[in-house]
Amino acid sequence: MTIEAASEKDAARPVRYGMIGGGEGAFIGAVHRIAARLDGRFALVAGALSSSAEKARRSGRALGLADERSYPDFAAMMAGEAGRPDGIEAVVIVTPNHVHVPAARAALEAGLHVICDKPLADSLEAGLSLEPVVRGSARLFAVTYNYTAYPLVREARALVASGALGTIRTVQAEYVQDWLTEKLEDTGHKQAEWRTDPARSGAGGAIGDIGTHAFNLAEFITGDTVASLAADLTSFVEGRPVDDNAQILLRFASGARGSLWVSQVAPGHENGLRIRIYGSKGSIRWGQENPNELLYSPFGDTTRIVTRAGNGATAASSGLVRIPAGHPEGYLEAFATLYDEIADAIVAARGGGRPDAGLVPGIDAGLRGLRFVSASIRSSRAGGVWTEV
Amino acid sequence: MTIEAASEKDAARPVRYGMIGGGEGAFIGAVHRIAARLDGRFALVAGALSSSAEKARRSGRALGLADERSYPDFAAMMAGEAGRPDGIEAVVIVTPNHVHVPAARAALEAGLHVICDKPLADSLEAGLSLEPVVRGSARLFAVTYNYTAYPLVREARALVASGALGTIRTVQAEYVQDWLTEKLEDTGHKQAEWRTDPARSGAGGAIGDIGTHAFNLAEFITGDTVASLAADLTSFVEGRPVDDNAQILLRFASGARGSLWVSQVAPGHENGLRIRIYGSKGSIRWGQENPNELLYSPFGDTTRIVTRAGNGATAASSGLVRIPAGHPEGYLEAFATLYDEIADAIVAARGGGRPDAGLVPGIDAGLRGLRFVSASIRSSRAGGVWTEV
Amino acid sequence: MTIEAASEKDAARPVRYGMIGGGEGAFIGAVHRIAARLDGRFALVAGALSSSAEKARRSGRALGLADERSYPDFAAMMAGEAGRPDGIEAVVIVTPNHVHVPAARAALEAGLHVICDKPLADSLEAGLSLEPVVRGSARLFAVTYNYTAYPLVREARALVASGALGTIRTVQAEYVQDWLTEKLEDTGHKQAEWRTDPARSGAGGAIGDIGTHAFNLAEFITGDTVASLAADLTSFVEGRPVDDNAQILLRFASGARGSLWVSQVAPGHENGLRIRIYGSKGSIRWGQENPNELLYSPFGDTTRIVTRAGNGATAASSGLVRIPAGHPEGYLEAFATLYDEIADAIVAARGGGRPDAGLVPGIDAGLRGLRFVSASIRSSRAGGVWTEV
Amino acid sequence: MTIEAASEKDAARPVRYGMIGGGEGAFIGAVHRIAARLDGRFALVAGALSSSAEKARRSGRALGLADERSYPDFAAMMAGEAGRPDGIEAVVIVTPNHVHVPAARAALEAGLHVICDKPLADSLEAGLSLEPVVRGSARLFAVTYNYTAYPLVREARALVASGALGTIRTVQAEYVQDWLTEKLEDTGHKQAEWRTDPARSGAGGAIGDIGTHAFNLAEFITGDTVASLAADLTSFVEGRPVDDNAQILLRFASGARGSLWVSQVAPGHENGLRIRIYGSKGSIRWGQENPNELLYSPFGDTTRIVTRAGNGATAASSGLVRIPAGHPEGYLEAFATLYDEIADAIVAARGGGRPDAGLVPGIDAGLRGLRFVSASIRSSRAGGVWTEV
């Protein structure tokens, strides 16, 4: 049990960060704050929490920020913090998607590390415009594809890399929910409103919102890339301008085949992200709704139930664990692990040098997500033809 | 409990049938015979069990057929039986696929009912040639897509038809196995050999062998038809001339979308036929590896576990049930195994000597049960004290 | 696949048996008949099916018995059959419990093999009175504790015997149902009536009816015997004269400990017979509601999912299997249902007219399958384009 | 989604606490700190982290404590903090069990709130000596029976209280692990050493360490109390001076019956705390290894899968949720919820008055656990007789 080492190795020197977005009424901002706080590696010291100055200050007070460090916008925050000896080292961007790129660009240019919520941008073009800035910067740039940090996802990735599954042949991924089964966006539900509005969410609906997570996971675990896809996107709820269901076939660079089902109109599924990977020597199956178990089937032998931190789990996941086997960990802990790895990288780079956050998703993962959405829409619009990713 | 009615309503007047194929060494013939015998509704009275006359007679004897009713081929059987007052009423065809059509044609023309194993034929053309014969005949023609007869598959079909799921939007079907993960056909394995040989199995490999079952089930439960599909068939095992994996997207006539994954190279899956159907008001999920449960999720409410013959099951399935809820249908097989072991012992003792039925419970097990009840009652009456058994 | 050997090795020389009890309206009689018929090893040729002569004959006719072999009572049957060259070799006793012992005694004394439903008798005293008769007889005496014949129960027993679990330490058994949660016996329900009437069921309620099965299984799998127990029996439903719930602690002869929970008032459980056995080196877990899976946990390693006839299953169970791994044994019943519906149609058409088998797949379903294969191959060959089915 | 309200409603005014125990190498201290930090409601500002002054200071630095607030023992901490305007309001006690009572007494007498790890004390006598101090104090006293704070445990409790299950009849609880299957305490494993040493753990082994949790949960959810029990405690590993397995029958004050199985020698179980409760109208089943699901079976209807924050969950649990349905929460979050409720009570009492922490376990729950251990040991030593709790 390495709980001390894993969770509190550097609680004495937390990374000081400012948050952009995430004020009153927001959702994902609080998740980031909890994750950042969980292991005591980050300290929230400043914020540009809302575009309304009054709301920004009120939100800041509720979070314990000094009024002088509640700024009306991200530019003001960067300017204000630059002069302080205890100024921020990093920003966390949890705004709507179209603000991601300008905020990230400004932060990197100000010499700040950037932790950006997914997707990277509201369009592939916007994302690509950020790429040279990231490549040219010595600061860390992370995109929070949080599902990659579940211990058993890391275990899965290590199993594939070890060759235990042999040559990968097929990958079956799905991310399905049911909350948009009816026309929730007409009832005043904020989350539903902006996610079904192409002006705010981009051209992709479900594929952008959740499909990118499943796509990212498929590439993350296999270490392979999707070379082309054939997509059939549908808007089942009448009058909805973006897709709420997508059936996609995948061809990987290695020759592996697969499918991806994305839906927000699948009754009975709350947050059904699931991935199954089959190779010439074995297979693995994992779903995030019960993330503490991984099924591993070596060909010709019995299927094994690999548990988080349990018998059969390896170093690939054991360092990421805060509590012993049998004590379920979840979504927040996986999110916090990303923050932990980011803190490691930032602290290590305090003396200079470019931070290297290892498996934490960065600009490449961010761009892959945008390419996936773009290819899916083009394939579907062309009648479902195979399209390069 | 309608067990009598369901299982034995007409045991006194069984249907007399002859079997074509299914002699020594065959697989599916025995399954058909067991199924035909289970409810006492059929009597096997004749056979053209093998193309070798010697083997046909030997197989017939093992099954209790009179030698005169073991025929060298199906034509001979039809001719021979036609003249008998106790002649066959029906044939069961369990030959390799290319014999299905000629045998079926001959039987229908001879005025016999036909029960034909799936697939209908080795090619679409051959199947189409049989169509007018069937349409023009007054005899029954059945193809044994056996999965359609699971009680909860019938329940699923009734749920869709009742409108409980609303308009169907997506259908996710899969039929996956792992037995062809390696090149089994090169090891002398008969089943693997002919199923991977286009000359015997037709152009389709996995899609013909098992994909047709999943496809049939999708149409059977939804009552809808697949209008078009986009398929990506692969032969992952080198040198295999037919597909062993298929990723397929589906578009239904109603506008519903779906996917179908078929594989015989998916380690960890023995016979993973599974179907999930999502509509505007709810969804259902069923898999044949645990066929006694159906998940039903009405949108906006908790998911229900519908069990075979249990609470929530309707007339659509209740008439098909031989044993009460909670007794998986394997219950009958376990019961039958006891009988089998008893028969072994009795037959062995026919020549004299005391029968020994091995693990079959006898007087000792019987007495232990009585001792247990007696000790339990005495212990409880004495206030729960420890009591010898 | 040893299906032929397992199921039909001696179908040509079936054991001729007479049934005592099991006429119209009975339940377990039909289960015995189906089980006896499944593998073709038994032939029902005589019966004392009911204490009403009229009902006995009517029941016999429905089962295809000659009138002369439908007897008014078991003594008459034994006398009548004794003189026939084709007389019965065995009896199957499926009467109420208090008839078991006299019928069994008479049969053994008449030189017949006996297959007796459980429990052995309505009291320990009655059971003990039979013991010397059985011990002194050269005939087979079997009690149908049917759960012992599940393939994975045999596998479990072999695992324990092999030493794979080390020294057995604890055994947790339970058999729980919910059908007597309310006072069903007051509503005219026959099964509930006699099972809660001490005059007919004996002093034990739930412990006699189902507790004996769980107890038997615990001793069968461990090969150990329960030395003493402490029991707390309760009748939760007011006015019920027998126990409907039992909490029991067990001490085995070997020193192992355990518990047994028996209930017929446990809502949510249909037929929840479950057993878990823990030793110094590993454990096993099995439940009859999903009997095709056994969990095996070697200490210090991952838990294995052992499937019926699958990887990891041994000779202890493989000889008992009729169908391959992944086909739950309900598979045969579903298959048989198709045959049942076909028989209905054929019998109905005996007088003329075209048979209509309702939901049984016919030429259309057969052709759809061929169209599906054909479209899949064409789509894939064209690069995965959408293709009409 | 009430995530802001639930998790950060008062992050600006965190409760200042000092920790007693929990320095380098400890286990549960870090869990408490993470839980306290998760929602930002607590600030660790002082510590008596180790009985070694050097180790205490080193541990304090790693956690960001000022050296002057790293104290050599709890008395020094209370004295030192008393004089500071920013002094601690509460202590968290995570020492070995025998220190719980003296530390708690001193803290209460110093006017501090107390959060004490379970069990309350190393003996019933010690616990009882604390009772008058707690009753006479105006400060909060909480015992961290953390499993009571899982959202679905609260849901379960509310379901029972609502009458949805009718009169409770049986309760089946178990808490089983496998880590002491072999003699781990002889290998230098610290956790195993003290937990199997009566001098440090008290007379109870597994029943004290984990049995108290299961016992607490049974009383917490049912709102009933165990009136008497009959226990059979065993030490299966040779030479182990405390029990490692316990089979216990329960009688509740209401007349309900039940059983409790506690084991640390059950291979295949990591942290198997599970509870099932059956009443005259329905049942519920929950296990902490997959804590986001609760099975609810209304008698005569289908079983429902109630998910954390999902359809069917009520106000009893919805206020405790940080993330939406389908995003798994776990052990740490439940622990944090206790801390959250404690913070609410402490903040509310800042202006004076006695804090009331609602469902948070206090002295009564602490004493019940000790009574349970004491009664179990007495029952078992007397040969398993029924013993008042």
Side-chain angles (χ1 to χ4, degrees):
Chain A
M1 269 180 285
T2 57
I3 177 166
E4 295 298 322
S7 60
E8 297 182 312
K9 59 183 152 177
D10 209 9
R13 304 162 61 209
V15 173
R16 299 180 305 278
Y17 77 99
M19 180 167 269
I20 304 173
E24 286 174 3
F27 159 57
I28 202 68
V31 170
H32 279 258
R33 288 191 298 267
I34 293 175
R37 194 158 54 215
L38 191 78
D39 292 325
R41 311 290 308 282
F42 282 85
L44 175 67
V45 297
L49 298 167
S50 172
S51 49
S52 140
E54 170 55 24
K55 201 166 150 190
R57 195 168 51 231
R58 200 167 56 229
S59 301
R61 283 181 182 171
L63 294 167
L65 293 188
D67 279 0
E68 80 213 50
R69 297 179 88 173
S70 268
Y71 300 93
D73 57 53
F74 67 75
M77 180 169 78
M78 290 166 198
E81 292 290 310
R84 302 179 64 109
D86 63 349
I88 57 174
E89 300 167 87
V91 296
V92 171
I93 304 173
V94 289
T95 60
N97 301 347
H98 68 283
V99 184
H100 289 183
V101 166
R105 178 195 309 273
L108 289 170
E109 289 173 356
L112 298 169
H113 302 289
V114 174
I115 299 165
C116 181
D117 201 49
K118 61 110 300 236
L120 177 60
D122 57 343
S123 75
L124 177 55
E125 293 65 37
L128 287 169
S129 78
L130 185 65
E131 190 178 11
V133 184
V134 172
R135 305 246 183 261
S137 162
R139 301 291 79 188
L140 181 75
F141 182 80
V143 179
T144 48
Y145 278 116
N146 52 295
Y147 298 108
T148 60
Y150 272 102
L152 288 177
V153 167
R154 298 286 177 93
E155 188 73 36
R157 190 175 178 279
L159 263 168
V160 173
S162 76
L165 305 194
T167 306
I168 301 307
R169 290 171 170 175
T170 72
V171 176
Q172 312 296 324
E174 62 188 49
Y175 197 155
V176 289
Q177 305 176 326
D178 67 5
W179 67 296
L180 293 177
T181 292
E182 298 185 347
K183 208 167 182 193
L184 193 60
E185 59 266 41
D186 285 1
T187 67
H189 188 287
K190 298 289 170 209
Q191 297 286 333
E193 266 177 32
W194 79 260
R195 281 165 209 258
T196 56
D197 175 5
R200 285 178 279 175
S201 72
I207 50 162
D209 190 22
I210 57 176
T212 46
H213 273 299
F215 177 82
N216 171 260
L217 210 57
E219 294 197 339
F220 181 81
I221 298 179
T222 58
D224 199 355
T225 52
V226 173
S228 64
L229 57 76
D232 194 18
L233 274 52
T234 316
S235 301
F236 278 114
V237 171
E238 215 177 307
R240 182 170 286 165
V242 293
D243 61 280
D244 49 26
N245 190 83
Q247 308 286 155
I248 303 178
L249 296 186
L250 307 173
R251 287 178 181 160
F252 288 79
S254 67
R257 295 303 203 262
S259 77
L260 177 53
W261 175 39
V262 178
S263 188
Q264 293 180 317
V265 295
H269 292 290
E270 294 176 336
N271 200 44
L273 173 60
R274 203 158 66 96
I275 189 157
R276 300 178 288 169
I277 298 175
Y278 302 83
S280 56
K281 295 187 182 166
S283 73
I284 48 176
R285 292 173 261 172
W286 181 84
Q288 82 90 32
E289 291 192 330
N290 188 10
N292 294 291
E293 276 189 17
L294 171 76
L295 293 186
Y296 165 45
S297 303
F299 177 64
D301 204 340
T302 48
T303 291
R304 270 88 166 138
I305 305 174
V306 179
T307 56
R308 187 191 53 81
N311 297 317
T314 68
S317 62
S318 61
L320 308 177
V321 164
R322 292 169 190 84
I323 41 177
H327 297 74
E329 277 196 3
Y331 174 87
L332 287 172
E333 286 88 344
F335 224 113
T337 292
L338 273 193
Y339 267 90
D340 226 31
E341 295 177 330
I342 290 169
D344 277 345
I346 291 178
V347 169
R350 270 176 179 162
R354 181 167 186 167
D356 173 10
L359 293 177
V360 174
I363 185 74
D364 292 322
L367 287 172
R368 285 300 289 166
L370 299 177
R371 286 188 207 283
F372 163 69
V373 173
S374 168
S376 293
I377 292 172
R378 282 180 288 127
S379 168
S380 190
R381 286 190 180 152
V385 299
W386 286 91
T387 304
E388 232 181 277
V389 179
Chain B
M1 270 180 285
T2 57
I3 178 166
E4 295 300 323
S7 60
E8 297 182 313
K9 58 183 153 178
D10 209 8
R13 305 162 61 209
V15 174
R16 300 178 305 277
Y17 77 100
M19 180 165 272
I20 303 173
E24 284 175 5
F27 161 56
I28 201 69
V31 170
H32 280 258
R33 288 192 297 266
I34 292 175
R37 193 158 54 215
L38 191 78
D39 292 325
R41 311 290 307 281
F42 281 85
L44 175 68
V45 296
L49 298 166
S50 173
S51 48
S52 141
E54 169 56 24
K55 200 166 151 191
R57 196 170 48 233
R58 199 168 55 230
S59 300
R61 283 182 183 170
L63 295 166
L65 293 188
D67 278 359
E68 81 213 48
R69 298 180 87 174
S70 266
Y71 300 92
D73 57 54
F74 67 75
M77 179 169 78
M78 290 167 199
E81 292 290 310
R84 302 179 64 107
D86 62 349
I88 58 173
E89 301 168 85
V91 295
V92 170
I93 304 172
V94 289
T95 60
N97 301 346
H98 68 283
V99 183
H100 289 184
V101 166
R105 179 194 309 273
L108 289 170
E109 288 173 356
L112 298 169
H113 303 288
V114 174
I115 299 164
C116 181
D117 200 48
K118 62 111 294 237
L120 177 59
D122 56 344
S123 75
L124 177 56
E125 293 62 39
L128 286 168
S129 77
L130 185 65
E131 190 178 11
V133 185
V134 172
R135 305 247 183 260
S137 162
R139 302 289 82 187
L140 181 75
F141 182 81
V143 179
T144 48
Y145 278 116
N146 53 295
Y147 297 107
T148 60
Y150 273 102
L152 288 177
V153 166
R154 298 287 177 93
E155 188 72 35
R157 189 176 178 277
L159 262 169
V160 173
S162 76
L165 305 193
T167 306
I168 301 307
R169 290 171 170 175
T170 72
V171 177
Q172 312 297 324
E174 61 188 50
Y175 197 155
V176 289
Q177 305 177 325
D178 67 4
W179 67 296
L180 293 177
T181 293
E182 298 185 345
K183 207 166 181 193
L184 193 59
E185 59 266 40
D186 285 1
T187 67
H189 188 287
K190 297 288 171 211
Q191 297 286 333
E193 267 176 31
W194 78 258
R195 282 165 210 258
T196 55
D197 174 5
R200 286 177 279 176
S201 72
I207 52 161
D209 190 22
I210 57 175
T212 45
H213 273 299
F215 176 82
N216 172 260
L217 210 56
E219 293 196 341
F220 181 80
I221 297 179
T222 58
D224 200 356
T225 51
V226 173
S228 65
L229 58 76
D232 194 18
L233 273 53
T234 316
S235 301
F236 279 114
V237 171
E238 215 176 307
R240 183 169 286 163
V242 293
D243 60 280
D244 50 26
N245 190 83
Q247 308 286 154
I248 304 177
L249 296 186
L250 306 173
R251 288 178 180 159
F252 288 79
S254 68
R257 296 301 202 265
S259 77
L260 177 54
W261 175 38
V262 178
S263 189
Q264 293 180 317
V265 294
H269 293 291
E270 293 175 337
N271 200 44
L273 173 59
R274 203 158 65 97
I275 189 157
R276 299 178 288 169
I277 298 175
Y278 302 83
S280 56
K281 294 185 183 167
S283 73
I284 49 177
R285 291 172 262 172
W286 180 84
Q288 81 89 32
E289 292 191 331
N290 188 9
N292 294 292
E293 276 191 17
L294 171 76
L295 292 186
Y296 165 45
S297 303
F299 177 64
D301 205 340
T302 48
T303 291
R304 269 88 166 137
I305 304 173
V306 179
T307 56
R308 187 190 51 82
N311 296 316
T314 69
S317 62
S318 62
L320 309 177
V321 164
R322 293 171 188 82
I323 42 176
H327 298 74
E329 296 201 314
Y331 173 90
L332 287 173
E333 283 88 343
F335 224 112
T337 291
L338 274 193
Y339 268 88
D340 224 31
E341 294 177 331
I342 290 168
D344 277 344
I346 292 177
V347 169
R350 271 178 178 161
R354 182 169 186 163
D356 174 8
L359 293 176
V360 173
I363 185 72
D364 293 320
L367 287 171
R368 286 298 291 166
L370 298 177
R371 286 189 207 282
F372 163 71
V373 173
S374 168
S376 293
I377 292 171
R378 283 181 286 127
S379 169
S380 191
R381 285 189 182 153
V385 298
W386 286 91
T387 304
E388 231 180 278
V389 179
Chain C
M1 269 180 286
T2 58
I3 178 168
E4 295 301 321
S7 59
E8 297 183 312
K9 58 184 152 177
D10 209 9
R13 304 163 59 208
V15 174
R16 299 179 305 277
Y17 77 101
M19 180 166 271
I20 304 172
E24 284 175 6
F27 160 57
I28 201 69
V31 170
H32 280 258
R33 289 192 296 268
I34 293 175
R37 194 159 52 216
L38 191 76
D39 292 325
R41 310 290 307 280
F42 282 85
L44 175 69
V45 296
L49 298 166
S50 172
S51 48
S52 142
E54 169 56 22
K55 200 167 150 189
R57 196 171 46 234
R58 201 169 52 231
S59 301
R61 282 182 184 172
L63 295 167
L65 293 187
D67 279 358
E68 82 214 46
R69 299 180 87 173
S70 267
Y71 300 92
D73 57 54
F74 67 74
M77 181 169 76
M78 291 166 199
E81 291 290 312
R84 301 179 65 108
D86 62 349
I88 58 175
E89 301 167 86
V91 296
V92 171
I93 305 173
V94 289
T95 62
N97 300 346
H98 68 284
V99 184
H100 290 183
V101 167
R105 180 193 308 273
L108 289 170
E109 289 172 356
L112 297 169
H113 303 288
V114 174
I115 299 164
C116 181
D117 201 50
K118 62 112 294 238
L120 178 59
D122 57 342
S123 75
L124 177 55
E125 294 64 38
L128 287 168
S129 78
L130 185 65
E131 191 178 10
V133 185
V134 172
R135 305 247 183 260
S137 162
R139 301 288 82 187
L140 180 75
F141 182 80
V143 180
T144 47
Y145 279 115
N146 53 295
Y147 297 108
T148 60
Y150 272 102
L152 288 178
V153 167
R154 298 287 177 93
E155 188 72 37
R157 189 176 179 277
L159 261 170
V160 173
S162 76
L165 306 193
T167 306
I168 301 306
R169 290 172 170 174
T170 73
V171 177
Q172 313 296 323
E174 62 188 49
Y175 196 156
V176 290
Q177 304 177 326
D178 67 4
W179 67 296
L180 293 177
T181 292
E182 298 185 346
K183 207 165 182 195
L184 193 61
E185 58 268 42
D186 285 2
T187 66
H189 188 285
K190 298 289 170 210
Q191 297 286 335
E193 266 177 31
W194 79 259
R195 282 165 209 257
T196 56
D197 175 5
R200 286 178 279 176
S201 73
I207 51 161
D209 190 22
I210 57 176
T212 45
H213 273 298
F215 176 82
N216 170 259
L217 209 56
E219 294 196 340
F220 181 81
I221 297 179
T222 59
D224 200 355
T225 52
V226 173
S228 65
L229 59 75
D232 195 18
L233 273 51
T234 315
S235 301
F236 278 114
V237 171
E238 216 177 305
R240 183 170 285 164
V242 294
D243 61 280
D244 50 25
N245 190 83
Q247 308 286 153
I248 304 177
L249 296 186
L250 307 173
R251 287 177 181 160
F252 288 79
S254 68
R257 296 300 203 266
S259 77
L260 177 54
W261 175 38
V262 179
S263 189
Q264 293 180 318
V265 295
H269 292 290
E270 293 175 338
N271 200 45
L273 172 59
R274 203 158 65 98
I275 189 157
R276 299 177 290 167
I277 298 175
Y278 302 84
S280 56
K281 294 186 183 166
S283 73
I284 49 176
R285 292 172 260 172
W286 180 83
Q288 81 90 33
E289 292 191 331
N290 188 10
N292 295 293
E293 275 190 17
L294 170 77
L295 292 186
Y296 164 45
S297 303
F299 177 65
D301 205 340
T302 48
T303 291
R304 268 88 165 138
I305 304 173
V306 179
T307 56
R308 187 189 52 80
N311 296 317
T314 68
S317 62
S318 61
L320 309 176
V321 164
R322 293 171 189 82
I323 41 176
H327 298 74
E329 296 200 314
Y331 173 89
L332 286 173
E333 285 87 343
F335 224 113
T337 291
L338 274 193
Y339 267 89
D340 226 31
E341 295 177 331
I342 291 168
D344 278 344
I346 292 177
V347 169
R350 272 178 178 160
R354 181 169 187 165
D356 174 9
L359 293 177
V360 174
I363 184 74
D364 292 320
L367 287 172
R368 286 299 290 167
L370 299 177
R371 286 189 207 282
F372 162 72
V373 173
S374 167
S376 293
I377 292 171
R378 282 181 286 129
S379 168
S380 191
R381 286 190 181 153
V385 299
W386 286 91
T387 304
E388 230 179 279
V389 179
Chain D
M1 267 180 285
T2 58
I3 178 168
E4 296 299 322
S7 60
E8 298 183 310
K9 59 184 151 178
D10 209 8
R13 303 163 60 209
V15 173
R16 299 179 306 276
Y17 78 100
M19 180 166 270
I20 303 172
E24 286 174 4
F27 160 57
I28 202 69
V31 170
H32 280 259
R33 289 192 297 268
I34 293 175
R37 195 159 53 216
L38 191 77
D39 293 324
R41 310 290 308 279
F42 282 85
L44 174 69
V45 296
L49 298 167
S50 173
S51 49
S52 142
E54 169 56 23
K55 200 168 150 189
R57 195 168 51 231
R58 200 168 54 231
S59 300
R61 282 181 183 172
L63 295 167
L65 293 187
D67 279 359
E68 80 213 48
R69 298 180 87 172
S70 267
Y71 301 92
D73 57 53
F74 66 75
M77 180 170 77
M78 289 166 198
E81 292 291 310
R84 301 178 63 109
D86 62 349
I88 58 174
E89 301 168 86
V91 296
V92 171
I93 304 173
V94 289
T95 61
N97 300 347
H98 67 284
V99 184
H100 289 184
V101 166
R105 179 194 308 274
L108 289 170
E109 289 174 355
L112 297 169
H113 302 288
V114 173
I115 299 163
C116 182
D117 201 50
K118 63 110 297 235
L120 177 59
D122 56 343
S123 75
L124 177 55
E125 294 64 39
L128 286 168
S129 78
L130 185 65
E131 189 178 12
V133 185
V134 171
R135 304 246 184 261
S137 162
R139 302 289 80 186
L140 180 76
F141 182 80
V143 179
T144 48
Y145 279 117
N146 52 293
Y147 298 107
T148 61
Y150 272 102
L152 288 177
V153 166
R154 298 287 177 91
E155 189 72 37
R157 189 177 179 277
L159 262 169
V160 173
S162 76
L165 306 193
T167 306
I168 300 307
R169 290 171 170 176
T170 73
V171 177
Q172 312 297 324
E174 62 187 49
Y175 197 156
V176 290
Q177 305 177 326
D178 66 5
W179 66 296
L180 293 177
T181 292
E182 299 186 346
K183 208 166 181 193
L184 194 60
E185 59 267 41
D186 286 359
T187 66
H189 188 286
K190 298 289 170 210
Q191 298 286 334
E193 266 177 32
W194 79 259
R195 281 165 208 257
T196 56
D197 175 5
R200 286 178 279 176
S201 72
I207 51 161
D209 189 22
I210 58 176
T212 46
H213 273 298
F215 176 82
N216 170 260
L217 209 57
E219 294 197 341
F220 181 80
I221 297 179
T222 59
D224 200 354
T225 51
V226 172
S228 65
L229 58 76
D232 194 19
L233 274 52
T234 316
S235 301
F236 278 114
V237 171
E238 215 177 305
R240 183 170 285 165
V242 294
D243 60 280
D244 50 24
N245 190 81
Q247 307 286 155
I248 304 177
L249 295 186
L250 307 173
R251 288 179 180 159
F252 288 80
S254 67
R257 295 303 202 263
S259 77
L260 177 54
W261 175 37
V262 179
S263 189
Q264 294 180 316
V265 295
H269 292 290
E270 293 175 337
N271 200 44
L273 172 59
R274 203 158 65 97
I275 189 157
R276 299 177 289 168
I277 297 174
Y278 302 83
S280 56
K281 294 187 183 166
S283 73
I284 49 176
R285 290 172 262 172
W286 180 84
Q288 82 90 33
E289 291 191 330
N290 188 9
N292 295 291
E293 276 191 17
L294 171 76
L295 292 187
Y296 165 45
S297 303
F299 177 64
D301 205 339
T302 47
T303 291
R304 268 88 165 138
I305 304 172
V306 180
T307 55
R308 187 191 53 81
N311 297 317
T314 69
S317 62
S318 61
L320 309 176
V321 164
R322 291 170 190 83
I323 42 177
H327 297 74
E329 275 196 6
Y331 175 87
L332 287 172
E333 286 88 343
F335 224 112
T337 291
L338 273 194
Y339 267 89
D340 224 32
E341 295 177 330
I342 290 169
D344 277 344
I346 291 177
V347 169
R350 270 176 179 162
R354 180 169 186 164
D356 173 9
L359 292 176
V360 173
I363 185 73
D364 292 321
L367 288 172
R368 287 298 291 167
L370 299 177
R371 284 188 208 283
F372 162 71
V373 173
S374 168
S376 293
I377 291 172
R378 283 180 287 126
S379 169
S380 191
R381 287 190 180 152
V385 299
W386 286 92
T387 304
E388 230 179 279
V389 178

